[in-house]
Amino acid sequence: MTLMRRKPAPADVLIVGSGASGATAAKVLTEAGINVVCLERGPWIKPDEFSGDELKYVNRYFLWQDLDLKPRTKRSSAGEEAHIARFSPTPQMVGGASVHYSGWVPRPTPDDLISKSIYGDIPGASLVDWPVTYDELEPYWTKVEWEFGVCGLAGANKYEGPRSKGYPTPPYPVNGFGKKFYEGCAKMGLNAFPLPKALLTAPHKGRPASVQPGLWHEYGDPTGSKSTPLSTFIPEALATGRYDLRPESYVREITVSKDGRASGVVYQDRDGVEYHQEAKMVLLACGAIETARLMLLSKSALFPDGIANNSGLVGKNAMFHEYIGAFGLFDKELSTPTEQWTGSYVNGATYEFYKTDTNRDHILGSVTAASTVGHPINFTYPGKPLWGKPAKDADRQYFDYSMKIGAILQDIPQETNAVDLDPTVRDAWGLPVARITAKPHENDKAQAKYIADNSSELMRAAGASKVDPIYLSEFTGNCSHEMGTARMGNDPSSSVVNKWGAAHDVPNLYVLDGAVFPTSLGANPTLTIMANAWRIADRIIEDRP
Ligand SMILES: Cc1cc2nc3c(=O)[nH]c(=O)nc-3n(C[C@H](O)[C@H](O)[C@H](O)COP(=O)(O)OP(=O)(O)OC[C@H]3O[C@@H](n4cnc5c(N)ncnc54)[C@H](O)[C@@H]3O)c2cc1C
């Protein structure tokens, strides 16, 4: 219930969202002497509240969105009725989704940024080149790798583009299933390398080396040794004394002044008190789905279809990186208890199914890596019995004997894959929820089949006695990677923001998150999201009066 509207002191820079993109910009701007207000809708959960309780985290969605309060809806194409779905679930909290992400942080390839120039027009797709070059982004990937804290081995991936510097800490040790992966790659003559990860294998910037807990993927990290905004850039921004971070502050509208500039936002705190926070500049960092939703919710006389939406493209060209690959079962245990479940979640990667190859029946590709199959209580394997003694026996026979080789599909952009406002479903605050319309392109299906078939062959080469490919049938948002929806480009009629993240129609409104990605890239997005947010923040600093 809205009680009243209050007006705090105006902000110099207002950032909506404190995840990977918002926290990066906050660190860079505050360290340059700029005062930042950040409005974050989620709670501020401190690392000492995290634990290894699988039921709490995975089954009771401790860090995830509550479907009853914050649903999303999904359909495959326009004309279909959308249904409520847990599509691209991302934790909404201080630090954002990266607080319990998996931490794969590889770089994209130089070709990813120029796929339109390489492949030309693809029917049914809206392929474009990035307005930013590899050379412009390279220094920022390096900054993030060093400041955020990443481990890896420079030069090990023969398909990686030029890099100006190695990694701050060496790669993690090879574990049981990692060893199998490397054996399989060697048999098939494939280049393999330690996947760069957002963890420290040695002390760095005053932080300890990681214990590499198995409680890594989908859990908060109580040790603070995983590199997340909560363990790095948020404390660094707070240390400047210029970061006013307000949790449990739900932004519902971006306001505009008569001259068409963003004047601030309207938000509600946990008690339902409504505020109008004025600001000289508004930076959106809500994740690509929520950023598009907030822009579409911000209707005014000047922008009847949503703020900065003169092109009609806000929400369109959404991309999600569906996870595909193969499961494998082995006759012998793959690991000791200290290596697999209690060890690292992912180990070993290849770009062989990613590299540009015009001889394939599809274009694009993506990073492929070996990982565990899942958490002990929620452990599942295709065809595994689900109940009673057979389920318990299968757990014993499968858990330490299985692995996955999987990839994030580099889905091609399509204008019809989109986020808009659901016409009927509302959240607990009475606002229309995001409706996702998404269907794989024929190229996505061919690419997924190629990767799943090759991952299966690699699994066999690694010694698996049973192999189960994971093909693509629909988009489920199972990677929680969100891209597109406010694409970056030079032409205001075919993009929403310019190459500096500023909206073509509203010069003091910026988008920092993956919404600006013109294509989805074949690498996990967060490293590039952070690098790009840093690049935009540097430009804001340069441009300040
Ligand atoms: C389980 C899991 C595993 C993942 N693994 C990987 C991986 O291995 N590698 C990788 O690169 N990526 C991974 N990701 C994705 C990664 O977490 C995201 O790419 C990254 O967090 C995006 O950062 P962001 O700042 O754009 O958005 P987010 O981190 O989602 O942050 C957005 C913030 O904005 C807030 N917000 C949204 N709307 C509003 C509003 N209206 N008002 C106020 N605040 C708002 C949200 O509460 C949230 O905290 C994973 C995600 C999950 C969930």
Side-chain angles (χ1 to χ4, degrees), residues 20-21 40-41 92-93 96-98 101-104 251 285 513 524 526:
S21 58
E40 164 56 57
R41 72 177 292 183
Q92 298 195 322
M93 57 185 293
S98 305
Y101 72 159
S102 322
W104 307 25
V251 177
D513 54 44
N524 308 60
T526 309

Side-chain angles (χ1 to χ4, degrees), residues 59 80-81 104 138-139 188 219 265 311 337 381 391 459 521 529 545:
N59 299 71
E80 269 177 40
E81 201 170 323
W104 307 25
E138 200 287 328
M188 286 177 67
Y219 291 72
V265 301
S311 64
Y381 188 97
M459 192 70 91
L521 312 174
I529 289 175

